[in-house]
Amino acid sequence: MANIIIIGTQWGDEGKGKVVDLLAEHADCVVRFQGGNNAGHTMVVDGKQIISHIIPSGILQGKTCIIGNGVVVDPLVLAEEIDYIRSMGIEINEDKLKISDKAHLIMPYHTKIDLAREESKGENKIGTTGRGIGPCYEDKAARRGIRFIDLLDPQEFEEKVKKALEEKNRYLEAFFSADTLDAESIINQYRELADKLAPYVTDTSVFLNQALKNNQQLLFEGAQGTHLDIEHGTYPFVTSSNTVAGNACCGSGVGPQAITGVIGIVKAYTTRVGRGPFPTELLDDIGDAIQEKGAEFGATTGRRRRCGWLDMVVLNNSARLNGLTGLAITKLDVLGGLDSLEICTGYELDGNTIQYFPSSLKKLEACRPVYETLPGWEEDISVVRAFDDLPQNAKNYLKRIEELSEIPIKIVSVGPGREETIVLENDFV
Ligand code: GDP
Ligand code: IMO
Ligand code: MG
């Protein structure tokens, strides 16, 4: 039996969707446990690209997909995504999709506040996805959030929306000179969504624990990345949830003893969308070349992703924070054609070389990467399906990552397609 957590080790967009879709073949349930539709997870099957923002990436494999209690859900986006996935010829019914009754709802005022705040910050903005994620998690922590269980109780829902708007409208008006929101129209819109989504809402913790009793295998799908974690990331340039593996249990209502492995998804280089420190960022032709070849545009907002070399300080930080038991290296094909490759093995700070990730943003910004240079390869590796068939320099690059992280590589991805993958070890079989 295996129950595996997949998490991003960098700043998101490592290729989690692709790896989850691949590994879901042998899982029974695929579980999102944090974040919301700030995520954009891309799957490419038979040449067809599908991007999911809120429905777990196991849906293409026909698995039971769970939106756990730790997720924040915009019900409008979810309803639209159900229609979109169906339009791709994929079945969604109450057996295939389950939403936690404890998951918090992203309300129209969350999105509005997120956007208004970012705009008012000007140069100092975080560069959020504008999906209302932060304001929704704020209300959850402040114990005034609205959950799916409330949505299913019309009277309770109405009272909660009216109460929330008393405060939100005053805030929107006074702070941002923004238009206020009308309670009735929100209540009517959400009532329709409640009718549509009610069949999927259940206690997903009870469901998952029963699945475990029945010897089913669970795959937990992290969103964002370790360095966007609200506590362990580059605060305040982070998202508003815990993105690390430990939260898979909390965000789904499953005990830690069930977990058998944690696979960290590692892009063969580094990218970041939005603002915040990024020690190995390349602001030169090589950065542009990687951005172009890797088609590095955000799957949610379409923003150009910042690109840089692989950073082992970042990866080793993730290894520690998540207890990684294996790595999946993605987008190795994108590095083909470069004369040489750099791997950051440490940072220079105040005349010393350090191997840790400083907690102080000021210190992190002062860090200069220390690089080790490896020779590149010319060949197109997207057709390779066995490790032994990779060019020697590509093998050396991978071996060096294993040496520096002391974690075995289990999967190497050489293209966006499900089949464009070298599987060295599958934890599920
Ligand atoms: P996620 O958020 O971690 O699921 O990643 P995204 O879907 O946001 O971004 C990853 C992008 O890289 C998507 O466009 C994928 O289709 C693509 N991708 C994933 N793996 C590979 C790979 O090995 N090679 C190439 N060239 N593209 C890949
Ligand atoms: P996936 O799951 C990359 C970034 C935003 C911003 C910061 C805060 O596709 O890897 P938020 O809207 O969450 O309040 O924005 O976090 N961010 C992501 N970056 N991939 C993601 O998800 C992201 N989700 C949020 O760009 O810098
Ligand atoms: Mg993404």
Side-chain angles (χ1 to χ4, degrees), residues 166-354:
E166 277 173 25
E167 190 182 317
K168 305 296 176 195
N169 275 341
R170 283 169 74 172
Y171 179 61
L172 279 165
E173 248 182 337
F175 238 82
F176 305 109
S177 307
D179 296 338
T180 54
L181 290 162
D182 173 52
E184 286 311 316
S185 64
I186 294 179
I187 290 162
N188 290 337
Q189 185 193 23
Y190 274 59
R191 197 164 284 151
E192 265 179 46
L193 290 165
D195 290 343
K196 206 165 170 180
L197 298 175
Y200 308 107
V201 178
T202 188
D203 187 328
T204 47
S205 167
V206 170
F207 178 84
L208 286 169
N209 282 280
Q210 190 56 49
L212 286 172
K213 274 194 183 147
N214 297 343
N215 290 325
Q216 295 202 343
Q217 307 199 100
L218 312 184
L219 180 58
F220 295 88
E221 176 178 1
Q224 291 77 56
T226 299
H227 292 81
L228 288 170
D229 183 283
I230 181 86
E231 278 161 79
H232 301 289
T234 46
Y235 191 90
F237 298 100
V238 292
T239 191
S240 296
S241 65
N242 284 112
T243 59
V244 291
N247 194 29
C249 291
C250 185
S252 63
V254 166
Q257 87 293 351
I259 307 301
T260 58
V262 183
I263 295 187
I265 314 297
V266 186
K267 205 177 266 188
Y269 45 97
T270 313
T271 61
R272 175 162 205 174
V273 223
R275 291 188 61 241
F278 179 177
T280 62
E281 183 169 17
L282 286 166
L283 299 165
D284 59 9
D285 292 351
I286 299 179
D288 288 347
I290 292 174
Q291 195 274 334
E292 199 169 310
K293 190 165 177 202
E296 293 294 354
F297 290 98
T300 296
T301 56
R303 288 177 292 177
R304 198 182 150 96
R305 294 176 182 147
R306 300 154 65 191
C307 296
W309 295 120
L310 181 67
D311 186 338
M312 292 308 297
V313 184
V314 163
L315 178 49
N316 288 334
N317 200 39
S318 280
R320 187 189 77 253
L321 290 166
N322 296 293
L324 299 182
T325 57
L327 303 179
I329 310 292
T330 62
K331 304 194 90 159
L332 190 65
D333 53 305
V334 175
L335 293 181
L338 293 169
D339 293 339
S340 60
L341 306 169
E342 310 281 350
I343 296 183
C344 170
T345 55
Y347 299 148
E348 200 186 290
L349 179 66
D350 303 330
N352 300 312
T353 302
I354 59 167

Side-chain angles (χ1 to χ4, degrees), residues 40 77 96 100 106 143 177 188-189 193 211 222 338 414 416 418:
V77 173
K96 294 259 185 294
S100 168
I106 296 179
R143 295 163 293 186
S177 307
N188 290 337
Q189 185 193 23
L193 290 165
L338 293 169
V414 293
R418 187 189 278 167

Side-chain angles (χ1 to χ4, degrees), residues 127-165:
T128 72
T129 59
R131 302 299 194 263
I133 306 297
C136 184
Y137 276 117
E138 278 170 36
D139 279 354
K140 175 178 177 175
R143 295 163 293 186
R144 58 176 176 232
I146 305 182
R147 302 183 295 170
F148 267 93
I149 196 74
D150 306 316
L151 181 65
L152 301 189
D153 179 338
Q155 200 184 334
E156 180 91 11
F157 183 72
E158 194 172 323
E159 280 167 20
K160 290 205 159 162
V161 171
K162 286 184 174 157
K163 180 103 191 87
L165 278 183

